[in-house]
Amino acid sequence: MIIEIQFTDDCPNAADIVDLVQALARDRPKIQVHLRAVSEGRPIPNGFSGSPTVLIDGKNPFNAVNVDGPSCALHPPTSSDVEVAIRAAGGDAII
């Protein structure tokens, strides 16, 4: 399972999500965590829906709408939302 977290440096919600996902992945080699910083002047990555965006195996489990520039998400996922999404995506077997 690959979990990609796309974030902007100034987003107040990103750090908690990054910490949670990294903690879940610790000692679980089947979970890979990729962090991608999103900033002005650089191409916006596929699937970015505001910071933090969490993609699980390339899919956004929250059905969020993509945005065309670096910004904070209007309704960012909570830590419990992310944990539930990882389990639903098959992470139950590895968490």
XYZ file of all heavy atoms in Angstrom:
698
model
N 0.850 -1.170 0.000
C 0.000 0.000 0.000
C 0.895 1.231 0.000
O 1.822 1.332 0.793
C -0.886 -0.015 1.243
C -1.704 1.232 1.434
S -2.739 1.207 2.919
C -3.959 0.005 2.420
N 0.601 2.142 -0.913
C 1.332 3.410 -0.971
C 0.390 4.530 -0.543
O -0.693 4.680 -1.103
C 1.863 3.689 -2.383
C 2.869 2.609 -2.784
C 2.502 5.082 -2.452
C 3.315 2.689 -4.221
N 0.815 5.260 0.459
C 0.045 6.398 0.942
C 0.861 7.646 0.632
O 1.989 7.789 1.101
C -0.239 6.303 2.447
C -1.001 5.015 2.749
C -1.015 7.535 2.918
C -1.153 4.724 4.219
N 0.283 8.512 -0.197
C 0.950 9.762 -0.538
C 0.222 10.905 0.147
O -0.999 11.001 0.072
C 0.941 9.979 -2.048
C 1.629 11.268 -2.450
C 1.721 11.447 -3.952
O 2.002 10.464 -4.664
O 1.484 12.584 -4.407
N 0.993 11.729 0.830
C 0.432 12.918 1.475
C 0.986 14.126 0.741
O 2.191 14.338 0.690
C 0.791 12.981 2.967
C 0.332 11.712 3.676
C 0.172 14.223 3.603
C 0.863 11.566 5.075
N 0.082 14.889 0.134
C 0.434 16.111 -0.565
C 0.072 17.274 0.355
O -1.042 17.324 0.871
C -0.335 16.206 -1.883
C -0.084 15.023 -2.803
C -1.019 15.014 -3.997
O -2.018 15.728 -4.048
N -0.699 14.181 -4.981
N 1.032 18.181 0.557
C 0.806 19.236 1.554
C 1.516 20.515 1.172
O 2.467 20.502 0.394
C 1.295 18.772 2.929
C 2.787 18.526 2.953
C 3.650 19.525 3.364
C 3.316 17.325 2.531
C 5.030 19.319 3.366
C 4.685 17.098 2.525
C 5.545 18.104 2.943
N 1.031 21.612 1.724
C 1.736 22.883 1.617
C 2.431 23.137 2.952
O 1.966 22.696 4.005
C 0.768 24.044 1.300
O -0.206 24.137 2.336
C 0.086 23.849 -0.040
N 3.563 23.820 2.889
C 4.342 24.051 4.110
C 3.594 24.862 5.159
O 3.830 24.706 6.351
C 5.662 24.761 3.779
C 6.654 23.816 3.107
O 6.595 22.594 3.355
O 7.481 24.311 2.325
N 2.689 25.730 4.714
C 2.008 26.609 5.666
C 0.659 26.067 6.135
O -0.078 26.751 6.834
C 1.834 28.008 5.079
C 1.044 28.014 3.784
O 0.782 26.929 3.221
O 0.702 29.109 3.312
N 0.344 24.819 5.801
C -0.945 24.240 6.194
C -0.899 23.763 7.651
O -0.069 22.931 7.997
C -1.303 23.075 5.284
S -2.833 22.261 5.773
N -1.800 24.264 8.493
C -1.773 23.867 9.900
C -2.277 22.438 10.140
O -2.051 21.884 11.210
C -2.701 24.883 10.575
C -3.639 25.304 9.492
C -2.833 25.266 8.218
N -2.945 21.837 9.151
C -3.506 20.501 9.344
C -2.595 19.369 8.877
O -2.841 18.212 9.188
C -4.837 20.393 8.583
C -5.819 21.436 9.038
O -6.107 21.566 10.212
N -6.316 22.225 8.100
N -1.561 19.704 8.122
C -0.739 18.671 7.507
C 0.091 17.866 8.511
O 0.189 16.637 8.394
C 0.170 19.288 6.452
N 0.677 18.519 9.483
C 1.603 17.834 10.390
C 0.936 16.673 11.131
O 1.540 15.602 11.271
C 2.204 18.824 11.381
N -0.284 16.861 11.598
C -0.970 15.787 12.328
C -1.215 14.576 11.442
O -1.060 13.434 11.878
C -2.307 16.269 12.893
C -2.139 17.227 14.058
O -1.042 17.276 14.646
O -3.117 17.937 14.374
N -1.596 14.814 10.178
C -1.854 13.711 9.251
C -0.550 12.995 8.914
O -0.492 11.761 8.891
C -2.558 14.217 7.972
C -3.909 14.851 8.318
C -2.695 13.099 6.946
C -4.913 13.941 8.995
N 0.510 13.756 8.663
C 1.818 13.149 8.378
C 2.265 12.298 9.561
O 2.680 11.143 9.390
C 2.874 14.230 8.043
C 4.272 13.634 8.011
C 2.546 14.906 6.712
N 2.162 12.829 10.768
C 2.567 12.079 11.967
C 1.760 10.793 12.117
O 2.321 9.734 12.415
C 2.415 12.930 13.230
C 3.417 14.067 13.307
O 4.400 14.067 12.536
O 3.205 14.976 14.135
N 0.451 10.867 11.915
C -0.399 9.693 12.043
C -0.011 8.617 11.039
O 0.185 7.455 11.406
C -1.868 10.058 11.840
C -2.796 8.840 11.680
C -3.068 8.204 13.032
C -4.066 9.196 10.972
N 0.108 8.994 9.779
C 0.407 8.007 8.735
C 1.801 7.404 8.951
O 1.988 6.189 8.822
C 0.250 8.629 7.335
C 0.745 7.673 6.259
C -1.209 8.992 7.088
N 2.757 8.229 9.314
C 4.096 7.692 9.577
C 4.089 6.745 10.772
O 4.762 5.720 10.761
C 5.100 8.818 9.761
C 5.403 9.506 8.438
C 6.389 10.645 8.562
O 6.450 11.342 9.586
N 7.156 10.871 7.512
N 3.299 7.044 11.793
C 3.196 6.150 12.951
C 2.544 4.822 12.562
O 2.979 3.756 13.007
C 2.406 6.819 14.078
N 1.499 4.885 11.716
C 0.850 3.653 11.272
C 1.785 2.802 10.416
O 1.724 1.572 10.450
C -0.419 3.969 10.476
C -1.593 4.544 11.257
C -2.701 4.958 10.304
C -2.114 3.538 12.272
N 2.634 3.465 9.648
C 3.538 2.744 8.745
C 4.778 2.185 9.445
O 5.391 1.246 8.948
C 3.969 3.675 7.615
N 5.094 2.741 10.586
C 6.285 2.295 11.310
C 6.178 0.799 11.594
O 5.150 0.317 12.058
C 6.412 3.081 12.614
C 7.780 3.022 13.234
C 7.908 3.993 14.400
N 7.866 5.380 13.911
C 6.972 6.280 14.308
N 6.059 5.970 15.202
N 6.997 7.493 13.810
N 7.204 0.068 11.272
C 7.264 -1.381 11.485
C 6.257 -2.149 10.630
O 5.912 -3.286 10.949
C 7.073 -1.741 12.970
C 8.131 -1.108 13.851
O 9.308 -1.033 13.420
O 7.790 -0.678 14.960
N 5.749 -1.528 9.592
C 4.834 -2.201 8.656
C 5.379 -2.003 7.245
O 5.013 -1.054 6.560
C 3.418 -1.624 8.779
C 2.795 -1.953 10.129
C 1.408 -1.336 10.234
N 0.799 -1.677 11.506
C 0.901 -0.943 12.607
N 1.598 0.167 12.603
N 0.294 -1.330 13.703
N 6.244 -2.900 6.794
C 6.896 -2.708 5.500
C 5.941 -2.715 4.310
O 6.307 -2.257 3.229
C 7.885 -3.872 5.418
C 7.423 -4.867 6.410
C 6.677 -4.118 7.465
N 4.717 -3.179 4.483
C 3.767 -3.182 3.370
C 3.128 -1.816 3.147
O 2.407 -1.615 2.179
C 2.679 -4.234 3.583
C 3.226 -5.635 3.484
C 2.127 -6.654 3.584
C 2.712 -8.047 3.456
N 1.679 -9.066 3.466
N 3.380 -0.870 4.059
C 2.891 0.501 3.886
C 4.083 1.391 3.554
O 5.028 1.481 4.328
C 2.192 1.038 5.153
C 0.966 0.207 5.504
C 1.795 2.499 4.956
C 0.270 0.653 6.777
N 4.016 2.020 2.396
C 5.024 3.004 2.007
C 4.389 4.386 2.100
O 3.261 4.573 1.652
C 5.484 2.772 0.574
C 6.165 1.451 0.349
C 6.491 1.283 -1.125
O 6.854 2.235 -1.814
N 6.340 0.075 -1.613
N 5.113 5.317 2.670
C 4.610 6.684 2.808
C 5.455 7.604 1.928
O 6.678 7.610 2.036
C 4.659 7.167 4.273
C 4.165 8.605 4.377
C 3.855 6.246 5.169
N 4.788 8.337 1.051
C 5.450 9.317 0.203
C 4.911 10.696 0.575
O 3.695 10.877 0.650
C 5.170 9.046 -1.272
C 5.673 7.721 -1.746
N 5.516 7.304 -3.030
C 6.325 6.715 -1.115
C 6.047 6.106 -3.184
N 6.533 5.725 -2.024
N 5.810 11.628 0.810
C 5.423 13.006 1.119
C 5.742 13.877 -0.084
O 6.817 13.759 -0.672
C 6.177 13.518 2.345
C 6.018 12.702 3.630
C 6.870 13.308 4.733
C 4.569 12.621 4.030
N 4.800 14.714 -0.471
C 5.010 15.595 -1.618
C 4.607 17.008 -1.244
O 3.436 17.286 -0.991
C 4.203 15.127 -2.810
C 4.462 16.017 -4.034
C 3.797 15.506 -5.249
N 4.383 14.233 -5.604
C 4.219 13.651 -6.769
N 3.473 14.226 -7.685
N 4.773 12.500 -7.033
N 5.596 17.898 -1.207
C 5.329 19.304 -0.924
C 4.767 19.970 -2.178
O 5.235 19.731 -3.293
C 6.603 20.007 -0.478
N 3.746 20.786 -1.989
C 3.097 21.521 -3.070
C 3.374 22.996 -2.835
O 3.140 23.505 -1.735
C 1.573 21.240 -3.082
C 0.887 22.040 -4.170
C 1.293 19.749 -3.226
N 3.898 23.682 -3.865
C 4.226 25.093 -3.672
C 4.022 25.873 -4.965
O 3.946 25.297 -6.052
C 5.666 25.238 -3.177
O 6.572 24.699 -4.124
N 3.945 27.199 -4.817
C 3.801 28.105 -5.962
C 4.956 27.884 -6.928
O 6.082 27.625 -6.516
C 3.842 29.567 -5.503
C 2.580 30.111 -4.946
C 1.429 30.183 -5.936
O 1.633 30.380 -7.152
O 0.300 30.039 -5.472
N 4.644 27.974 -8.201
C 5.695 27.898 -9.208
C 6.090 26.491 -9.605
O 6.940 26.316 -10.466
N 5.504 25.496 -8.962
C 5.795 24.099 -9.304
C 4.509 23.453 -9.781
O 3.413 23.859 -9.374
C 6.338 23.360 -8.078
C 7.656 23.971 -7.585
C 8.239 23.223 -6.441
N 8.662 21.901 -6.908
C 8.974 20.911 -6.098
N 8.911 21.072 -4.807
N 9.346 19.758 -6.581
N 4.620 22.435 -10.631
C 3.404 21.766 -11.102
C 2.590 21.188 -9.939
O 3.157 20.659 -8.975
C 3.935 20.647 -11.995
C 5.325 21.058 -12.364
C 5.830 21.877 -11.211
N 1.278 21.318 -10.026
C 0.392 20.759 -9.003
C 0.267 19.258 -9.279
O -0.044 18.854 -10.395
C -0.995 21.435 -9.054
C -0.868 22.947 -8.823
C -1.949 20.808 -8.044
C -0.215 23.338 -7.520
N 0.528 18.426 -8.274
C 0.476 16.980 -8.513
C -0.944 16.480 -8.774
O -1.922 17.085 -8.322
C 1.044 16.377 -7.228
C 0.897 17.431 -6.196
C 0.907 18.747 -6.912
N -1.029 15.395 -9.518
C -2.325 14.764 -9.782
C -3.022 14.431 -8.472
O -2.395 13.937 -7.537
C -2.149 13.488 -10.592
C -1.735 13.764 -12.013
O -1.981 14.849 -12.539
N -1.106 12.807 -12.648
N -4.309 14.706 -8.426
C -5.107 14.347 -7.263
C -5.106 15.364 -6.144
O -5.798 15.189 -5.147
N -4.350 16.463 -6.278
C -4.266 17.434 -5.181
C -5.608 18.131 -4.990
O -6.169 18.711 -5.909
C -3.172 18.466 -5.450
C -2.977 19.445 -4.328
C -2.488 19.022 -3.103
C -3.289 20.780 -4.481
C -2.312 19.919 -2.055
C -3.117 21.689 -3.452
C -2.624 21.252 -2.238
N -6.123 18.052 -3.768
C -7.422 18.658 -3.451
C -7.324 19.635 -2.285
O -8.290 19.878 -1.589
C -8.453 17.567 -3.148
O -8.033 16.787 -2.048
N -6.147 20.167 -2.076
C -5.906 21.062 -0.943
C -5.109 20.331 0.112
O -5.149 19.113 0.209
N -4.383 21.076 0.891
C -3.486 20.487 1.885
C -4.215 20.222 3.203
O -4.956 21.085 3.674
C -2.329 21.448 2.127
O -1.414 20.935 3.060
N -4.044 19.049 3.758
C -3.339 17.892 3.227
C -4.267 17.023 2.366
O -5.428 16.833 2.697
C -2.929 17.132 4.479
C -4.022 17.411 5.463
C -4.465 18.822 5.152
N -3.717 16.527 1.267
C -4.415 15.538 0.452
C -3.791 14.182 0.763
O -2.570 14.061 0.787
C -4.262 15.852 -1.050
O -4.935 17.069 -1.336
C -4.843 14.734 -1.908
N -4.627 13.193 0.999
C -4.149 11.838 1.262
C -4.626 10.947 0.117
O -5.826 10.858 -0.142
C -4.696 11.295 2.607
C -4.228 9.870 2.839
C -4.270 12.194 3.757
N -3.665 10.335 -0.567
C -3.980 9.385 -1.623
C -3.541 7.993 -1.165
O -2.431 7.830 -0.670
C -3.262 9.747 -2.927
C -3.533 11.138 -3.499
C -2.705 11.365 -4.760
C -5.008 11.333 -3.785
N -4.424 7.041 -1.308
C -4.104 5.659 -0.944
C -4.084 4.866 -2.241
O -5.102 4.756 -2.923
C -5.130 5.085 0.044
C -5.134 5.927 1.329
C -4.814 3.617 0.348
C -6.213 5.546 2.320
N -2.911 4.363 -2.571
C -2.711 3.673 -3.848
C -3.229 4.516 -5.009
O -3.899 4.032 -5.919
C -3.351 2.286 -3.828
C -2.621 1.334 -2.890
O -1.400 1.504 -2.710
O -3.264 0.429 -2.336
N -2.942 5.824 -4.951
C -3.267 6.734 -6.027
C -4.688 7.270 -6.045
O -5.041 8.069 -6.909
N -5.500 6.857 -5.086
C -6.903 7.285 -5.070
C -7.196 8.115 -3.825
O -6.719 7.824 -2.740
C -7.816 6.064 -5.095
C -7.663 5.272 -6.374
C -8.552 4.056 -6.368
C -8.320 3.297 -7.655
N -8.124 1.910 -7.472
N -8.058 9.108 -4.014
C -8.480 9.939 -2.897
C -9.730 9.301 -2.278
O -10.788 9.317 -2.901
C -8.775 11.366 -3.374
C -9.045 12.307 -2.234
O -9.658 11.937 -1.234
N -8.602 13.544 -2.378
N -9.617 8.734 -1.082
C -10.756 8.049 -0.475
C -11.852 8.988 0.016
O -12.907 8.532 0.450
C -10.130 7.292 0.687
C -8.945 8.110 1.076
C -8.437 8.688 -0.219
N -11.618 10.288 -0.066
C -12.576 11.254 0.462
C -13.370 11.942 -0.641
O -14.137 12.863 -0.369
C -11.860 12.278 1.342
C -11.019 11.616 2.398
C -9.638 11.617 2.295
C -11.606 10.939 3.459
C -8.860 10.982 3.252
C -10.835 10.297 4.409
C -9.464 10.320 4.300
N -13.179 11.515 -1.884
C -13.905 12.073 -3.031
C -13.813 13.592 -3.101
O -14.773 14.260 -3.466
C -15.366 11.628 -3.021
C -15.494 10.135 -3.144
O -14.816 9.523 -3.958
N -16.338 9.547 -2.325
N -12.675 14.121 -2.726
C -12.478 15.570 -2.748
C -12.246 16.050 -4.180
O -11.752 15.310 -5.027
C -11.294 15.941 -1.859
N -12.585 17.286 -4.440
C -12.424 17.897 -5.760
C -11.007 18.454 -5.885
O -10.502 19.112 -4.972
C -13.464 19.029 -5.947
C -13.260 19.737 -7.270
C -14.872 18.478 -5.830
N -10.374 18.190 -7.021
C -9.029 18.695 -7.255
C -9.034 20.218 -7.334
O -10.011 20.824 -7.759
C -8.466 18.132 -8.556
C -8.191 16.645 -8.469
O -8.349 16.025 -7.422
N -7.800 16.065 -9.577
N -7.927 20.812 -6.919
C -7.749 22.258 -7.024
C -6.553 22.529 -7.935
O -5.717 21.653 -8.151
C -7.558 22.921 -5.633
C -8.790 22.745 -4.782
C -6.336 22.382 -4.922
N -6.465 23.743 -8.453
C -5.409 24.024 -9.429
C -4.255 24.862 -8.880
O -3.432 25.353 -9.631
C -5.993 24.683 -10.670
C -6.734 25.964 -10.369
O -6.770 26.381 -9.196
O -7.288 26.556 -11.307
N -4.186 25.005 -7.579
C -3.085 25.742 -6.975
C -2.872 25.326 -5.533
O -3.722 24.666 -4.938
N -1.720 25.679 -4.975
C -1.445 25.317 -3.588
C -2.393 26.052 -2.648
O -2.535 27.268 -2.722
C 0.003 25.739 -3.360
C 0.370 26.607 -4.496
C -0.620 26.408 -5.590
N -3.061 25.302 -1.799
C -4.002 25.883 -0.840
C -4.297 24.858 0.239
O -4.021 23.681 0.072
C -5.307 26.279 -1.539
O -5.921 25.148 -2.106
N -4.874 25.337 1.322
C -5.334 24.425 2.367
C -6.696 23.873 1.957
O -7.478 24.555 1.300
C -5.467 25.148 3.706
S -3.891 25.462 4.507
N -6.969 22.658 2.339
C -8.267 22.047 2.057
C -9.336 22.745 2.882
O -9.105 23.077 4.052
C -8.233 20.565 2.392
N -10.499 22.962 2.283
C -11.602 23.580 3.019
C -12.119 22.657 4.112
O -12.498 23.091 5.188
C -12.736 23.946 2.062
C -12.447 25.053 1.078
C -13.644 25.255 0.143
C -12.110 26.347 1.795
N -12.146 21.366 3.827
C -12.598 20.359 4.792
C -11.578 19.237 4.831
O -11.794 18.171 4.238
C -13.980 19.825 4.401
C -15.013 20.893 4.272
N -15.566 21.517 5.371
C -15.567 21.483 3.193
C -16.421 22.429 4.960
N -16.444 22.433 3.645
N -10.450 19.453 5.514
C -9.398 18.438 5.517
C -9.843 17.189 6.278
O -10.678 17.270 7.190
C -8.238 19.131 6.237
C -8.896 20.148 7.104
C -10.110 20.602 6.347
N -9.306 16.042 5.898
C -9.641 14.827 6.632
C -9.070 14.889 8.046
O -8.013 15.479 8.271
C -8.970 13.725 5.815
C -7.859 14.398 5.086
C -8.331 15.800 4.832
N -9.792 14.300 8.971
C -9.284 14.220 10.345
C -8.393 12.983 10.458
O -8.397 12.110 9.572
C -10.430 14.089 11.351
O -11.096 12.841 11.113
C -11.416 15.252 11.237
N -7.678 12.889 11.547
C -6.842 11.707 11.779
C -7.672 10.438 11.777
O -7.279 9.424 11.193
C -6.079 11.844 13.099
O -5.144 12.892 13.021
N -8.842 10.479 12.395
C -9.672 9.269 12.421
C -10.212 8.951 11.025
O -10.310 7.781 10.647
C -10.797 9.364 13.450
O -11.749 10.308 13.075
N -10.545 9.974 10.206
C -10.964 9.749 8.822
C -9.877 8.997 8.060
O -10.157 8.050 7.317
C -11.207 11.073 8.081
C -12.400 11.858 8.568
O -13.306 11.267 9.194
O -12.417 13.083 8.317
N -8.637 9.431 8.222
C -7.519 8.827 7.500
C -7.304 7.390 7.954
O -7.128 6.483 7.130
C -6.239 9.668 7.660
C -5.034 8.949 7.085
C -6.424 11.035 7.017
N -7.352 7.159 9.248
C -7.161 5.799 9.750
C -8.255 4.868 9.240
O -7.986 3.745 8.802
C -7.114 5.788 11.278
C -6.695 4.450 11.832
C -6.344 4.492 13.303
O -6.350 5.579 13.915
O -6.057 3.413 13.844
N -9.497 5.318 9.252
C -10.612 4.511 8.734
C -10.411 4.228 7.246
O -10.628 3.105 6.780
C -11.964 5.220 8.994
C -13.088 4.594 8.203
C -12.286 5.198 10.482
N -9.985 5.234 6.480
C -9.780 5.058 5.040
C -8.667 4.045 4.751
O -8.791 3.224 3.835
C -9.457 6.396 4.392
N -7.600 4.083 5.544
C -6.504 3.125 5.354
C -6.993 1.708 5.641
O -6.728 0.771 4.878
C -5.294 3.493 6.240
C -4.655 4.794 5.739
C -4.274 2.355 6.269
C -3.641 5.390 6.682
N -7.734 1.551 6.705
C -8.281 0.224 7.027
C -9.237 -0.261 5.924
O -9.189 -1.411 5.506
C -8.993 0.245 8.374
C -8.053 0.410 9.544
C -8.804 0.423 10.880
N -7.927 0.732 11.966
C -7.110 -0.134 12.562
N -7.052 -1.370 12.147
N -6.344 0.249 13.560
N -10.098 0.634 5.422
C -11.056 0.274 4.393
C -10.373 -0.102 3.077
O -10.890 -0.903 2.309
C -12.045 1.409 4.160
N -9.201 0.481 2.837
C -8.464 0.211 1.598
C -7.635 -1.064 1.682
O -6.850 -1.354 0.800
C -7.569 1.392 1.269
N -7.824 -1.807 2.759
C -7.083 -3.052 2.890
C -6.000 -2.993 3.944
O -5.299 -3.966 4.166
N -5.889 -1.872 4.579
C -4.876 -1.726 5.613
C -5.196 -2.486 6.877
O -4.338 -2.658 7.743
N -6.436 -2.949 7.014
C -6.809 -3.735 8.202
C -5.874 -4.921 8.389
O -5.495 -5.251 9.505
C -8.244 -4.271 8.055
C -9.144 -3.739 9.136
O -8.641 -3.073 10.057
O -10.348 -3.993 9.059
N -5.482 -5.506 7.274
C -4.625 -6.682 7.343
C -3.209 -6.331 7.767
O -2.475 -7.208 8.225
C -4.606 -7.378 5.983
N -2.842 -5.044 7.613
C -1.473 -4.674 7.941
C -1.368 -3.686 9.086
O -0.285 -3.345 9.516
C -0.750 -4.116 6.691
C -1.552 -3.040 6.005
C -0.419 -5.226 5.730
C -0.944 -2.471 4.751
N -2.499 -3.210 9.595
C -2.472 -2.284 10.746
C -2.788 -3.053 12.004
O -3.692 -3.809 12.079
C -3.473 -1.114 10.553
C -3.019 -0.257 9.405
C -3.587 -0.291 11.819
C -3.918 0.916 9.102
